[in-house]
Structure formats: C-alpha cells, structure tokens
Amino acid sequence: MKILNRRHLLQSLIMSSGAYALGALAADKNSVGKGNPPPPSRSWPYVALDLERTAELAYQFHDRMSSCMYGVFASIITQLAEKVGEPYRSFPCEMMVYGEGGVAGWGTLCGTLNGGAAAISLLVRQEAERKALIDELFLWYQNTKLPAYTPKNPFFPADLPAVKTDSILCHPSVSTWIKEAKVTFYSKERKERCTRLSADTAAKTVELLNASFAGTVAKQSNLGAKTSDCLSCHGKGGVQADVMAKSCTGCHFPANHQHP
Ligand code: HEC
Ligand code: HEC
C-alpha cells in the first residue's frame, strides 16, 4: 500500500498541476498552430419577442445612431437585455454602427440585413438553421415591396412608395427606390424610407427567430427559378462553375447576356 506523506502529496500536486499547465500549453499550441478555432460557444438564450415593439424600437434606434444596422440589432438585443439580462446587457451594440450605408457608406450589403444576420448568428449557432434563416430574411427583403412600416410618430411624415428592389445591396436598393419616389439620395424622404426599412427588417428578423425557436420554420429556402437556373450551370457542379451567389438578377440582367 502506498502511503502519501505531505511531501509526496505536495510533489504530486506540483507535478500534476505542472503537467496540467504543460498540457494546457500544448493544447493551446496545437490549436494555434493548426488554426483550430476554440470550441463553439452555445447560443445565447432567446425568448419570443413582440413584432410591433421590435419595429418601433428599430425605428427609434436607427435614428438615434444614424445607423440602420445598429437600429435592427439593438432593437432585438435591448429587449433580450430587459427580459433575460446578462449577457445581453453588456453587449456593445454600438459596434454595429459600422453597417450604416452598406458598411460605412460603401453601398454594399444593406445594413438592416447585416444587423438582422448578426442577431441571427448570435442566437442561432446551428449552421444549417442559421443559414436558412438568413436566406429567408434576404429573400424576403429583395422580393418585398418596402417600406411597409407606418410609424406612429414619424420623424418625417410622408406617404412613401413601397418598392420591390430585387437587391439586398444598399446602393442598388436605395437607387431603385429613389427613382420610383422621384427624390434624391440626400432627401428627407430617402432618410425616412431607410429608417422605416429598419423597422420592417427588425420585425421580419424577429418573426423568423420566433418561428425558429418555436420549431415552425420550414427549412426550404427557395432561391427562385431564375437564380436556380443560372446556378445549374454557374454553380457547384455546373458546366461553368464560376459563381458563388444566391441571387443574380439584381446585378445581371439576363436579357443582356448572350448564352451558348
Ligand atoms: C445552360 C448553362 C447556363 C445557364 C443556365 C446560364 N449560363 Fe451564364 N454562361 C454559361 C456559359 C457556358 C458561359 C461562358 C461562355 C460564354 O461566355 O458564352 C456563361 C457566361 C455568362 C456570363 C459572362 C458572359 C456574358 O454574357 O457577359 C454571365 C454574366 C452569365 N453567364 C450570367 C448568367 C446568368 C445571370 C444566368 C441566369 C439568368 C446564366 N448565366 C445562366 C452557361 C450558362
Ligand atoms: C452583387 C452583384 C452581383 C451578383 C449578386 C452577381 N454578380 Fe455576377 N458579377 C458581378 C460583377 C460586378 C461582375 C464583374 C463584372 C462583369 O463582368 O459584369 C460579375 C461577373 C460575373 C461573371 C463573369 C463575367 C464574365 O465577364 O465572364 C459571371 C459568369 C457571373 N457574374 C454570373 C453570376 C451569376 C450566375 C450570379 C447569380 C448566382 C451572379 N453573377 C451574381 C456582379 C454580381
């Protein structure tokens, strides 16, 4: 029988903690050296949110920080901070201001969608579900006449046209809309349109999240006949497999292309 005296005990403790530290270091080295990411953290807790309140908050928050992405993201996180508390309360929502104007005015991805996708990615870590929800959100945006939201106390009271813009991108989406509204980009109407769009997109994001957590989202994102047709040749496995995208028509106008 082995009797552990104090010295033994101390020694074995030191050795095992040393070994533990070395082990941890080795594991660290391994993960850094091989580029392994840390294990994925779990999704943050979600409770169903009210669509109307979400829209109203997004409308207000967008205006407060002059950022559509912030408006959408903060409308969701603020409510979860109220209902769940931490870790939402400490989340630096202000970082999301960067998405304004399609990322700092670059006219790329519409900030409302960037904000919605960010919220989805925080709350839904399961890859297939996350992507399905983002697909649904983006397809809805490009295929829906917007804005639809009517604020109770509008910052700029106006009857705005609702336009289907066929694009998820800030610049084409806005430029298509202002053509219909017969205003300039720098008009009060355009500003109001984007602020209302934040309300619409925030509410849609929450509608999808509510459905997803209730287990009622059908994971069958249909990209549309045209895009699927294009991808049958240009997508993975096609004769001209040179494209990764989920929409074509907002940028390419098929009639202009002469195909073999
Ligand atoms: C039957 C297969 C097929 C389908 C369907 C198809 N393409 Fe193509 N596409 C090709 C091939 C092959 C080429 C390259 C040969 C060429 O340029 O003619 C090409 C070339 C192109 C080009 C570059 C040449 C150009 O015309 O400017 C664009 C852009 C393009 N396709 C877009 C689309 C879009 C958008 C759709 C859907 C509306 C689509 N394609 C559907 C096979 C296809
Ligand atoms: C965000 C806008 C955008 C989207 C969305 C997009 N494209 Fe493009 N695509 C471009 C631009 C810009 C170019 C490079 C300039 C050009 O050749 O027109 C390009 C180039 C291409 C080319 C090569 C053109 C050549 O001259 O050979 C093909 C093929 C093509 N796209 C097909 C597609 C298909 C198919 C889809 C949908 C699955 C798609 N694109 C979606 C903007 C877009």
Side-chain angles (χ1 to χ4, degrees):
M1 198 166 92
K2 214 173 154 191
I3 296 167
L4 278 177
N5 61 24
R6 247 185 83 173
R7 220 177 73 198
H8 269 124
L9 189 64
L10 263 175
Q11 260 177 2
S12 72
L13 267 176
I14 289 165
M15 279 182 58
S16 64
S17 63
Y20 174 77
L22 274 175
L25 245 177
D28 232 41
K29 251 192 169 165
N30 268 343
S31 57
V32 172
K34 288 184 185 158
N36 292 330
S41 56
R42 290 190 310 148
S43 306
W44 287 12
Y46 183 77
V47 289
L49 300 175
D50 181 68
L51 269 54
E52 269 299 303
R53 172 124 202 276
T54 305
E56 177 62 26
L57 283 174
Y59 185 70
Q60 301 293 336
F61 285 148
H62 173 141
D63 184 70
R64 185 183 299 169
M65 299 288 269
S66 295
S67 171
C68 43
M69 182 176 186
Y70 172 82
V72 170
F73 188 80
S75 73
I76 297 168
I77 300 308
T78 303
Q79 291 184 85
L80 291 170
E82 284 168 11
K83 288 172 188 264
V84 180
E86 292 295 359
Y88 297 103
R89 230 179 281 154
S90 314
F91 196 99
C93 289
E94 304 74 41
M95 67 169 283
M96 300 303 178
V97 295
Y98 80 87
E100 141 282 322
V103 182
W106 277 77
T108 66
L109 179 62
C110 168
T112 70
L113 293 175
N114 211 346
I120 288 169
S121 304
L122 182 68
L123 297 162
V124 181
R125 296 284 164 87
Q126 206 265 324
E127 188 184 352
E129 180 74 357
R130 167 171 59 82
K131 288 185 173 169
L133 292 174
I134 292 173
D135 283 352
E136 287 299 321
L137 183 67
F138 283 28
L139 287 168
W140 162 83
Y141 179 98
Q142 67 172 18
N143 294 328
T144 306
K145 287 185 173 181
L146 296 169
Y149 178 69
T150 318
K152 284 187 203 98
N153 303 301
F155 296 115
F156 180 71
D159 241 351
L160 302 178
V163 180
K164 170 168 126 47
T165 64
D166 284 326
S167 179
I168 56 162
L169 301 177
C170 171
H171 147 56
S173 168
V174 176
S175 294
T176 303
W177 185 85
I178 59 177
K179 201 170 161 191
E180 192 88 3
K182 299 187 174 60
V183 294
T184 71
F185 184 91
Y186 305 91
S187 62
K188 291 207 166 91
E189 285 86 350
R190 196 283 309 161
K191 190 167 175 235
E192 180 68 22
R193 175 261 186 186
C194 288
T195 315
R196 292 185 192 182
L197 211 54
S198 288
D200 285 322
T201 307
K204 183 67 189 181
T205 304
V206 161
E207 182 193 308
L208 290 168
L209 284 169
N210 286 353
S212 169
F213 280 86
T216 53
V217 166
K219 293 176 197 109
Q220 48 169 20
S221 298
N222 182 359
L223 297 181
K226 261 191 199 137
T227 301
S228 300
D229 178 39
C230 306
L231 287 174
S232 70
C233 291
H234 289 283
K236 197 173 175 184
V239 294
Q240 185 79 5
D242 55 357
V243 178
M244 186 199 63
K246 290 184 178 174
S247 172
C248 317
T249 47
C251 298
H252 295 285
F253 302 95
N256 301 341
H257 295 295
Q258 296 306 312
H259 270 89

